[in-house]
PDB file of all heavy atoms in Angstrom:
ATOM      1  N   LYS A1271     -10.665  27.698  -9.363  1.00  0.00           N
ATOM      2  CA  LYS A1271      -9.775  27.310 -10.531  1.00  0.00           C
ATOM      3  C   LYS A1271      -8.720  28.374 -10.634  1.00  0.00           C
ATOM      4  O   LYS A1271      -7.538  28.121 -10.933  1.00  0.00           O
ATOM      5  CB  LYS A1271     -10.626  27.393 -11.726  1.00  0.00           C
ATOM      6  CG  LYS A1271      -9.739  26.963 -13.065  1.00  0.00           C
ATOM      7  CD  LYS A1271     -10.663  26.853 -14.334  1.00  0.00           C
ATOM      8  CE  LYS A1271      -9.821  26.370 -15.448  1.00  0.00           C
ATOM      9  NZ  LYS A1271      -8.690  27.202 -15.764  1.00  0.00           N
ATOM     10  N   ALA A1272      -9.071  29.626 -10.368  1.00  0.00           N
ATOM     11  CA  ALA A1272      -8.033  30.656 -10.399  1.00  0.00           C
ATOM     12  C   ALA A1272      -6.895  30.508  -9.395  1.00  0.00           C
ATOM     13  O   ALA A1272      -5.725  30.762  -9.769  1.00  0.00           O
ATOM     14  CB  ALA A1272      -8.671  32.059 -10.149  1.00  0.00           C
ATOM     15  N   ASP A1273      -7.179  30.120  -8.259  1.00  0.00           N
ATOM     16  CA  ASP A1273      -6.173  29.815  -7.255  1.00  0.00           C
ATOM     17  C   ASP A1273      -5.227  28.654  -7.738  1.00  0.00           C
ATOM     18  O   ASP A1273      -4.044  28.630  -7.515  1.00  0.00           O
ATOM     19  CB  ASP A1273      -6.744  29.428  -5.918  1.00  0.00           C
ATOM     20  CG  ASP A1273      -7.338  30.660  -5.193  1.00  0.00           C
ATOM     21  OD1 ASP A1273      -7.047  31.749  -5.624  1.00  0.00           O
ATOM     22  OD2 ASP A1273      -8.032  30.440  -4.197  1.00  0.00           O
ATOM     23  N   ALA A1274      -5.968  27.586  -8.307  1.00  0.00           N
ATOM     24  CA  ALA A1274      -5.195  26.356  -8.734  1.00  0.00           C
ATOM     25  C   ALA A1274      -4.302  26.874  -9.851  1.00  0.00           C
ATOM     26  O   ALA A1274      -3.078  26.477  -9.976  1.00  0.00           O
ATOM     27  CB  ALA A1274      -6.096  25.280  -9.228  1.00  0.00           C
ATOM     28  N   ASP A1275      -4.803  27.747 -10.799  1.00  0.00           N
ATOM     29  CA  ASP A1275      -3.920  28.055 -11.996  1.00  0.00           C
ATOM     30  C   ASP A1275      -2.781  28.896 -11.513  1.00  0.00           C
ATOM     31  O   ASP A1275      -1.693  28.813 -12.093  1.00  0.00           O
ATOM     32  CB  ASP A1275      -4.871  28.778 -12.934  1.00  0.00           C
ATOM     33  CG  ASP A1275      -5.791  28.010 -13.750  1.00  0.00           C
ATOM     34  OD1 ASP A1275      -5.762  26.692 -13.729  1.00  0.00           O
ATOM     35  OD2 ASP A1275      -6.751  28.518 -14.220  1.00  0.00           O
ATOM     36  N   ALA A1276      -2.993  29.750 -10.487  1.00  0.00           N
ATOM     37  CA  ALA A1276      -1.863  30.647 -10.109  1.00  0.00           C
ATOM     38  C   ALA A1276      -0.859  29.745  -9.434  1.00  0.00           C
ATOM     39  O   ALA A1276       0.399  30.011  -9.481  1.00  0.00           O
ATOM     40  CB  ALA A1276      -2.422  31.676  -9.120  1.00  0.00           C
ATOM     41  N   PHE A1277      -1.251  28.687  -8.720  1.00  0.00           N
ATOM     42  CA  PHE A1277      -0.272  27.861  -8.079  1.00  0.00           C
ATOM     43  C   PHE A1277       0.498  27.036  -9.129  1.00  0.00           C
ATOM     44  O   PHE A1277       1.697  26.946  -8.932  1.00  0.00           O
ATOM     45  CB  PHE A1277      -1.087  26.960  -7.115  1.00  0.00           C
ATOM     46  CG  PHE A1277      -0.227  25.911  -6.229  1.00  0.00           C
ATOM     47  CD1 PHE A1277       0.282  26.393  -5.057  1.00  0.00           C
ATOM     48  CD2 PHE A1277      -0.062  24.602  -6.600  1.00  0.00           C
ATOM     49  CE1 PHE A1277       1.076  25.552  -4.220  1.00  0.00           C
ATOM     50  CE2 PHE A1277       0.717  23.776  -5.867  1.00  0.00           C
ATOM     51  CZ  PHE A1277       1.248  24.211  -4.672  1.00  0.00           C
ATOM     52  N   ILE A1278      -0.136  26.616 -10.079  1.00  0.00           N
ATOM     53  CA  ILE A1278       0.535  25.733 -11.144  1.00  0.00           C
ATOM     54  C   ILE A1278       1.538  26.696 -11.875  1.00  0.00           C
ATOM     55  O   ILE A1278       2.642  26.328 -12.172  1.00  0.00           O
ATOM     56  CB  ILE A1278      -0.490  25.185 -12.183  1.00  0.00           C
ATOM     57  CG1 ILE A1278      -1.322  24.094 -11.403  1.00  0.00           C
ATOM     58  CG2 ILE A1278       0.086  24.622 -13.378  1.00  0.00           C
ATOM     59  CD1 ILE A1278      -2.554  23.614 -12.127  1.00  0.00           C
ATOM     60  N   GLU A1279       1.138  27.921 -12.079  1.00  0.00           N
ATOM     61  CA  GLU A1279       2.067  28.918 -12.842  1.00  0.00           C
ATOM     62  C   GLU A1279       3.216  29.168 -12.036  1.00  0.00           C
ATOM     63  O   GLU A1279       4.309  29.320 -12.447  1.00  0.00           O
ATOM     64  CB  GLU A1279       1.234  30.205 -13.103  1.00  0.00           C
ATOM     65  CG  GLU A1279       2.040  31.311 -13.630  1.00  0.00           C
ATOM     66  CD  GLU A1279       2.582  31.007 -14.997  1.00  0.00           C
ATOM     67  OE1 GLU A1279       1.919  30.203 -15.748  1.00  0.00           O
ATOM     68  OE2 GLU A1279       3.586  31.615 -15.445  1.00  0.00           O
ATOM     69  N   ALA A1280       3.047  29.150 -10.669  1.00  0.00           N
ATOM     70  CA  ALA A1280       4.226  29.593  -9.726  1.00  0.00           C
ATOM     71  C   ALA A1280       5.176  28.362  -9.675  1.00  0.00           C
ATOM     72  O   ALA A1280       6.417  28.556  -9.543  1.00  0.00           O
ATOM     73  CB  ALA A1280       3.656  29.850  -8.325  1.00  0.00           C
ATOM     74  N   ILE A1281       4.628  27.136  -9.684  1.00  0.00           N
ATOM     75  CA  ILE A1281       5.517  25.952  -9.423  1.00  0.00           C
ATOM     76  C   ILE A1281       5.987  25.220 -10.762  1.00  0.00           C
ATOM     77  O   ILE A1281       7.229  25.029 -10.846  1.00  0.00           O
ATOM     78  CB  ILE A1281       4.731  24.886  -8.694  1.00  0.00           C
ATOM     79  CG1 ILE A1281       4.185  25.408  -7.338  1.00  0.00           C
ATOM     80  CG2 ILE A1281       5.602  23.656  -8.390  1.00  0.00           C
ATOM     81  CD1 ILE A1281       5.269  25.922  -6.426  1.00  0.00           C
ATOM     82  N   GLY A1282       5.164  25.071 -11.676  1.00  0.00           N
ATOM     83  CA  GLY A1282       5.585  24.707 -12.953  1.00  0.00           C
ATOM     84  C   GLY A1282       4.369  23.658 -13.596  1.00  0.00           C
ATOM     85  O   GLY A1282       3.508  23.391 -12.899  1.00  0.00           O
ATOM     86  N   PRO A1283       4.564  23.456 -14.849  1.00  0.00           N
ATOM     87  CA  PRO A1283       3.477  22.546 -15.584  1.00  0.00           C
ATOM     88  C   PRO A1283       3.425  21.245 -14.905  1.00  0.00           C
ATOM     89  O   PRO A1283       4.394  20.649 -14.362  1.00  0.00           O
ATOM     90  CB  PRO A1283       4.199  22.463 -17.060  1.00  0.00           C
ATOM     91  CG  PRO A1283       5.222  23.500 -17.104  1.00  0.00           C
ATOM     92  CD  PRO A1283       5.686  23.771 -15.816  1.00  0.00           C
ATOM     93  N   GLY A1284       2.172  20.704 -14.871  1.00  0.00           N
ATOM     94  CA  GLY A1284       1.843  19.442 -14.355  1.00  0.00           C
ATOM     95  C   GLY A1284       1.719  19.357 -12.822  1.00  0.00           C
ATOM     96  O   GLY A1284       1.417  18.350 -12.306  1.00  0.00           O
ATOM     97  N   THR A1285       1.936  20.473 -12.168  1.00  0.00           N
ATOM     98  CA  THR A1285       1.770  20.591 -10.785  1.00  0.00           C
ATOM     99  C   THR A1285       0.316  20.171 -10.274  1.00  0.00           C
ATOM    100  O   THR A1285      -0.672  20.515 -11.001  1.00  0.00           O
ATOM    101  CB  THR A1285       1.958  22.039 -10.264  1.00  0.00           C
ATOM    102  OG1 THR A1285       3.328  22.260 -10.442  1.00  0.00           O
ATOM    103  CG2 THR A1285       1.786  22.145  -8.660  1.00  0.00           C
ATOM    104  N   VAL A1286       0.184  19.495  -9.312  1.00  0.00           N
ATOM    105  CA  VAL A1286      -1.038  18.866  -8.907  1.00  0.00           C
ATOM    106  C   VAL A1286      -1.927  19.824  -7.949  1.00  0.00           C
ATOM    107  O   VAL A1286      -1.718  19.796  -6.805  1.00  0.00           O
ATOM    108  CB  VAL A1286      -0.975  17.474  -8.280  1.00  0.00           C
ATOM    109  CG1 VAL A1286      -2.261  16.840  -7.925  1.00  0.00           C
ATOM    110  CG2 VAL A1286      -0.032  16.643  -9.109  1.00  0.00           C
ATOM    111  N   ALA A1287      -2.833  20.591  -8.645  1.00  0.00           N
ATOM    112  CA  ALA A1287      -3.567  21.518  -7.886  1.00  0.00           C
ATOM    113  C   ALA A1287      -5.000  21.456  -8.461  1.00  0.00           C
ATOM    114  O   ALA A1287      -5.166  21.522  -9.660  1.00  0.00           O
ATOM    115  CB  ALA A1287      -2.950  22.954  -7.976  1.00  0.00           C
ATOM    116  N   GLY A1288      -6.015  21.432  -7.515  1.00  0.00           N
ATOM    117  CA  GLY A1288      -7.302  21.450  -7.916  1.00  0.00           C
ATOM    118  C   GLY A1288      -8.172  20.685  -6.926  1.00  0.00           C
ATOM    119  O   GLY A1288      -7.808  20.631  -5.748  1.00  0.00           O
ATOM    120  N   SER A1289      -9.251  20.140  -7.397  1.00  0.00           N
ATOM    121  CA  SER A1289     -10.244  19.465  -6.558  1.00  0.00           C
ATOM    122  C   SER A1289      -9.695  18.134  -5.993  1.00  0.00           C
ATOM    123  O   SER A1289      -8.708  17.748  -6.489  1.00  0.00           O
ATOM    124  CB  SER A1289     -11.501  19.145  -7.299  1.00  0.00           C
ATOM    125  OG  SER A1289     -11.267  18.139  -8.300  1.00  0.00           O
TER     126      SER A1289
END
Side-chain angles (χ1 to χ4, degrees):
K1271 186 177 185 303
D1273 288 346
D1275 289 346
F1277 186 81
I1278 293 168
E1279 176 65 25
I1281 305 299
T1285 297
V1286 182
S1289 67

